[in-house]
Amino acid sequence: MGAYGVGPDKARALAERMARLDLREEDIVEKFVRSGGRGGQNVNKVATCVYLKHLPTGTEVKCQRERSQALNRYLARRILADRIEAAVLGRASEEERRAAKVRRQKRKRSRRAKEKMLADKRRVSEKKKARSLKPDLSGD
């Protein structure tokens, strides 16, 4: 077992990911809180809930998913990395999504899609024409 109660490969992968995102342990405030809910006596006696705060970004994470404090420390760091990565890459992915939308709008329709679209337009046109024809109310 490596650090955090997980295998050494998972612990190493998390450390590399945190290094890539420039998350340093000295920038993280870690507190342990007593958990609530399921888990029995262990949860009631041991402070298994992990609270992390990343000081530079102000991002806060609380994790009490598992009964083990070590595993919750690992999971909390993973969640923190996810949130910070989403904040950093969120702007880049937003730009990519906008560009993809423009590409879709400019793309030429397939023949089948075009035929379907024109058939729908014809159907609506017929419906509107039918509205303008006045019914004969003379009773002849």
Side-chain angles (χ1 to χ4, degrees):
M1 283 292 221
Y4 308 121
V6 294
D9 50 336
K10 282 190 175 182
R12 196 176 324 104
L14 178 65
E16 288 170 5
R17 185 172 177 210
M18 288 176 69
R20 256 197 333 271
L21 291 170
D22 197 30
L23 291 174
R24 295 191 313 270
E25 284 294 329
E26 53 267 17
D27 291 342
I28 297 173
V29 173
E30 183 174 43
K31 293 179 186 172
F32 303 104
V33 189
R34 194 140 323 143
S35 296
R38 297 193 318 265
Q41 186 178 12
N42 180 69
V43 160
N44 298 329
K45 285 179 74 175
V46 182
T48 54
C49 180
V50 177
Y51 166 85
L52 297 179
K53 182 172 184 178
H54 185 242
L55 296 174
T57 59
T59 307
E60 296 179 352
V61 169
K62 207 173 184 184
C63 181
Q64 61 179 39
R65 198 177 303 163
E66 300 294 331
R67 290 180 67 207
S68 155
Q69 186 188 77
L71 200 49
N72 281 333
R73 288 182 72 204
Y74 169 77
L75 292 171
R77 280 169 172 71
R78 210 170 66 180
I79 294 167
L80 182 69
D82 287 344
R83 288 194 186 164
I84 290 175
E85 191 172 39
V88 168
L89 297 179
R91 289 184 281 275
S93 66
E94 182 78 34
E95 195 63 41
E96 179 57 38
R97 206 166 61 241
R98 224 185 338 269
K101 182 180 179 186
V102 169
R103 278 196 303 273
R104 273 196 312 276
Q105 288 172 338
K106 289 183 176 182
R107 188 172 57 203
K108 189 178 175 187
R109 281 195 176 91
S110 69
R111 177 177 289 133
R112 218 169 142 198
K114 190 173 180 181
E115 286 170 2
K116 184 179 175 191
M117 184 260 308
L118 290 173
D120 286 344
K121 285 180 96 170
R122 270 197 257 9
R123 203 172 303 120
V124 169
S125 170
E126 294 299 323
K127 193 191 303 182
K128 285 188 168 189
K129 270 187 200 159
R131 286 183 202 147
S132 67
L133 298 172
K134 302 229 183 328
D136 187 22
L137 299 175
S138 62
D140 290 332

